[in-house]
Amino acid sequence: MADDFVEPEKGMRAGAQAVAAVVVVGGVVGGLWGLGGVLPKTTQDTKPAICSASTDDTLPAKYVSPTALCTALNRTDLPVLLGTPDEHAETASGSAGWMTLAGGTKIASPEADVDLRTYSVRLSASYDDIPVAQAARYVDSTSQVKKVLGHPAVLYSDRTVAISFNLGGGKASTGPGGIARSLLVSTSAKDGGDSLEISIWRQDDVPPDDEALFRIAEEVLPTVPGWTAG
């Protein structure tokens, strides 16, 4: 039996952070299902996920923390914003790290992920001093310049990566997955170089809903520390 696993992977953000998502279905649950076991539904299954511990201490205080990003993204109304009101967040986590640019410069790259049954959502922050208007040149050819709450933004697509695990043989293989849609938005109306990005992708091959992406951006971004109303 082979199970598909999807885990987002960092992409390039020297102009825009591309998302490579890997959809994962299975793990222990898949193994039990393959053996004919049945998992009872518990009360915990119906509750939204709680943000897991993040590595906040790896970033200076001037940057937004992974916990703050996770808290902003893991809203109780996130399923409604996604258009899947009967679902709930199954996992939520934040992580901190650094991205090294071509010239060797390191920039902070905190992010948070929330996974539901149908969708996965990522919120990340970048401090590379590249205005969004300039970053639009580096993403895919179908990118579109937009405005989100009066802030410069760019909407673009990226291809996800599907990882398939063979539970019997212990081997994994990768292949092309579905489409991720991302909104890169300046934290200020003046487009000063700091930006936030929201990406969504589905656990199947159906393209994600752009309207859901914009709904999430308009509700989530103003709650992130460092956002300037404009």
Side-chain angles (χ1 to χ4, degrees):
M1 173 184 173
D3 284 329
D4 292 332
F5 190 85
V6 181
E7 165 61 23
E9 202 176 282
K10 280 184 183 286
M12 52 179 242
R13 174 55 177 94
Q17 182 175 350
V19 171
V22 186
V23 177
V24 181
V25 178
V28 175
V29 174
L32 290 175
W33 178 85
L35 295 172
V38 177
L39 295 179
K41 188 171 184 178
T42 65
T43 303
Q44 186 62 31
D45 294 332
T46 63
K47 294 181 179 180
I50 297 174
C51 288
S52 62
S54 304
T55 51
D56 288 358
D57 56 351
T58 65
L59 292 179
K62 65 179 180 179
Y63 301 119
V64 63
S65 72
T67 295
L69 291 176
C70 191
T71 300
L73 184 60
N74 190 30
R75 303 164 54 99
T76 56
D77 62 350
L78 182 61
V80 175
L81 296 174
L82 283 166
T84 57
D86 294 333
E87 298 184 10
H88 65 270
E90 297 180 349
T91 63
S93 63
S95 61
W98 296 88
M99 184 178 293
T100 303
L101 302 182
T105 302
K106 291 186 176 182
I107 58 173
S109 57
E111 63 185 32
D113 293 278
V114 175
D115 299 307
L116 293 81
R117 186 174 69 248
T118 300
Y119 275 101
S120 289
V121 189
R122 166 171 290 171
L123 171 62
S124 57
S126 182
Y127 303 92
D128 55 10
D129 293 327
I130 298 177
V132 167
Q134 182 179 341
R137 308 173 192 171
Y138 299 97
V139 296
D140 73 296
S141 59
T142 64
S143 64
Q144 303 171 52
V145 175
K146 300 286 186 178
K147 284 277 189 178
V148 174
L149 300 175
H151 293 214
V154 58
L155 172 68
Y156 70 98
S157 297
D158 194 18
R159 175 68 65 176
T160 66
V161 176
I163 299 179
S164 178
F165 289 94
N166 189 322
L167 296 182
K171 295 182 179 180
S173 60
T174 61
I179 296 295
R181 293 288 278 170
S182 299
L183 258 180
L184 180 68
V185 186
S186 172
T187 58
S188 68
K190 295 182 179 180
D191 202 8
D194 294 346
S195 59
L196 295 169
E197 185 170 73
I198 291 183
S199 302
I200 63 173
W201 60 94
R202 291 177 58 104
Q203 309 304 326
D204 50 31
D205 292 331
V206 177
D209 182 6
D210 281 356
E211 291 185 5
L213 177 59
F214 278 92
R215 285 196 299 266
I216 295 168
E218 290 173 356
E219 295 297 329
V220 170
L221 296 184
T223 69
V224 178
W227 176 267
T228 303

